[in-house]
Amino acid sequence: MSSVRSGSPAPSLYSFHPSIDERLVLRSVHGRILNSQNETYMLPADVEEHQRLDLQHQIYTLMLGDLYTAPEMVHHALRPRNDYQPAIFDVGTGSGSWALDMAKAFPHCNVVGVDLAPIRVTGPLPENVRFEIDDANLGFAHYRQNFDVIHARAISAGIHDFKGLLREFANALRPGGVLLLADGEMQLYDESKEPLAALEPGEPGFTWTQKVFFAAYNAMKNRGGCIDSPTLTPRWLQEDGHFTNIGWNKIFVPIGPWVETASPRERQMAEMMRTNTLTHINGMAPLLLSEGYFPETVEKMQREAAIEVQSLRVHLYSRWNFAWAIKAA
Ligand SMILES: C[S@@+](CC[C@H](N)C(=O)[O-])C[C@H]1O[C@@H](n2cnc3c(N)ncnc32)[C@H](O)[C@@H]1O
């Protein structure tokens, strides 16, 4: 029997947060939904975005050499128990690829994935995984001390109060449970791994790729997303007081195979990151248009950035932040 209650009485593929009905989706604008509070969310509404997330999932797995950081902590938290079935929570599950892989890797565990948008179901789901529609900004009052591992990856743009969300995660974890956080940055880095400045065309060091990423960063921030949280979470975890064994790591991945000394594995990752970045740039149009950019400005930024990335004219690094912690007893 499952040890994880659903937010809904219906044991269906999709269930709903108790209060999400009050926040019914009113309309869709450029791939975002507006709810009754006029809050806006980006949705991975189209197939291309879910395919990008599947690719990004493979990149994360290559970066870590596994599905997660802190493997000893994770294995300990998910060890088989006599009294209950261990449970895993994937918040902002996207295409569901991490949740599905975890369900296969830990068949004795229950896995719950939640997102504002449904996953794309392409085949039968493993019996130990369930997906729900839910908004992490509403908290998880219906999940108290339910989970042994909570995973939240690349969700900061959709979160209004990341510190508050960490408190929700602490409440949803069993004592001894593990929190796993991961996110890429919208800040890009030069070949010396120094952050690129926000420059205008004609200024030395200007790149269109940084310009379009910076424009998207500002748009996400203006929309209330906690877009700076990837670099701040280690401090917030310490300040929260509910966590011990806090650790973090930052991994640089080149955008495209421009590092001559790279190993075959690093080259493969860099190539995948180039594809990921090109799709990411391609998908930024709705966000930038809704921010008030003229369509021709958006098209130019996207076109020029894509040429830079495709041709390796600029040598750029992306940076990926990981943090983990144990819920104190
Ligand atoms: C960039 S995708 C990452 C998906 C997945 N975690 C991964 O790493 O492949 C961000 C996901 O977070 C979801 N998301 C954003 N804000 C959310 C919120 N407030 N509640 C639930 N899901 C949210 C989005 O709908 C999207 O599917």
Side-chain angles (χ1 to χ4, degrees):
M1 198 183 76
S2 163
S3 60
V4 181
R5 284 181 303 113
S6 165
S8 153
S12 56
L13 175 62
Y14 304 121
S15 52
F16 296 87
H17 189 285
S19 60
I20 207 160
D21 290 351
E22 298 158 19
R23 299 177 168 226
L24 275 179
V25 174
L26 295 184
R27 60 206 168 97
S28 168
V29 181
H30 298 308
R32 290 178 299 130
I33 55 171
L34 298 184
N35 67 17
S36 55
Q37 269 93 62
N38 222 20
E39 292 167 336
T40 58
Y41 301 105
M42 280 182 67
L43 284 181
D46 52 40
V47 172
E48 187 176 80
E49 174 62 357
H50 270 185
Q51 283 169 345
R52 183 184 78 80
L53 293 177
D54 288 343
L55 173 69
Q56 195 169 271
H57 171 63
Q58 288 176 36
I59 300 172
Y60 271 116
T61 310
L62 274 171
M63 269 188 248
L64 300 176
D66 212 330
L67 289 168
Y68 37 79
T69 49
E72 281 172 22
M73 287 184 190
V74 171
H75 283 267
H76 183 72
L78 296 180
R79 67 195 182 279
R81 323 281 182 127
N82 293 327
D83 46 346
Y84 70 89
Q85 198 172 357
I88 302 166
F89 196 28
D90 186 26
V91 178
T93 194
S95 63
S97 42
W98 187 86
L100 289 166
D101 279 356
M102 287 298 281
K104 288 177 210 147
F106 295 92
H108 65 285
C109 297
N110 272 315
V111 183
V112 180
V114 296
D115 202 288
L116 294 167
I119 64 158
R120 264 179 318 120
V121 184
T122 52
L125 291 173
E127 284 196 352
N128 60 332
V129 67
R130 183 177 81 233
F131 291 99
E132 301 183 351
I133 305 287
D134 208 343
D135 181 351
N137 290 316
L138 301 177
F140 295 108
H142 50 303
Y143 283 134
R144 287 292 182 247
Q145 299 207 9
N146 271 130
F147 296 102
D148 301 283
V149 166
I150 296 182
H151 178 254
R153 191 173 70 183
I155 66 165
S156 55
I159 302 304
H160 301 324
D161 172 10
F162 211 96
K163 276 182 100 168
L165 185 62
L166 293 180
R167 175 62 52 90
E168 287 296 320
F169 288 161
N171 289 334
L173 278 170
R174 292 192 175 96
V178 176
L179 177 60
L180 299 171
L181 302 171
D183 216 328
E185 292 174 35
M186 296 300 286
Q187 171 70 59
L188 299 176
Y189 293 80
D190 68 16
E191 54 191 325
S192 308
K193 300 184 178 168
E194 293 298 327
L196 290 182
L199 299 170
E200 290 304 319
E203 293 187 87
F206 170 81
T207 76
W208 287 100
T209 314
Q210 169 64 9
K211 186 167 178 65
V212 76
F213 267 77
F214 190 59
Y217 164 89
N218 280 326
M220 289 172 183
K221 203 163 171 129
N222 289 341
R223 189 158 293 162
C226 284
I227 197 68
D228 295 319
S229 68
T231 52
L232 296 171
T233 39
R235 196 176 84 209
W236 290 343
L237 284 169
Q238 274 161 342
E239 287 170 1
D240 183 86
H242 286 84
F243 296 99
T244 63
N245 299 68
I246 298 161
W248 61 91
N249 189 15
K250 295 172 194 299
I251 299 180
F252 286 92
V253 180
I255 301 175
W258 55 264
V259 178
E260 286 177 8
T261 54
S263 68
R265 182 182 149 279
E266 288 167 341
R267 281 188 80 79
Q268 182 199 4
M269 214 164 37
E271 192 57 84
M272 290 162 81
M273 188 61 78
R274 170 157 66 175
T275 306
N276 187 39
T277 305
L278 286 168
T279 318
H280 195 187
I281 291 169
N282 196 37
M284 284 175 185
L287 177 71
L288 297 175
L289 291 172
S290 70
E291 186 68 3
Y293 283 94
F294 292 120
E296 54 273 25
T297 309
V298 173
E299 272 166 37
K300 183 172 173 64
M301 283 195 290
Q302 287 182 301
R303 188 178 59 247
E304 297 292 339
I307 291 169
E308 283 177 357
V309 171
Q310 195 70 61
S311 66
L312 299 183
R313 188 195 296 164
V314 292
H315 291 175
L316 301 173
Y317 276 110
S318 56
R319 192 168 80 163
W320 303 79
N321 294 262
F322 300 87
W324 55 89
I326 292 182
K327 157 91 176 281

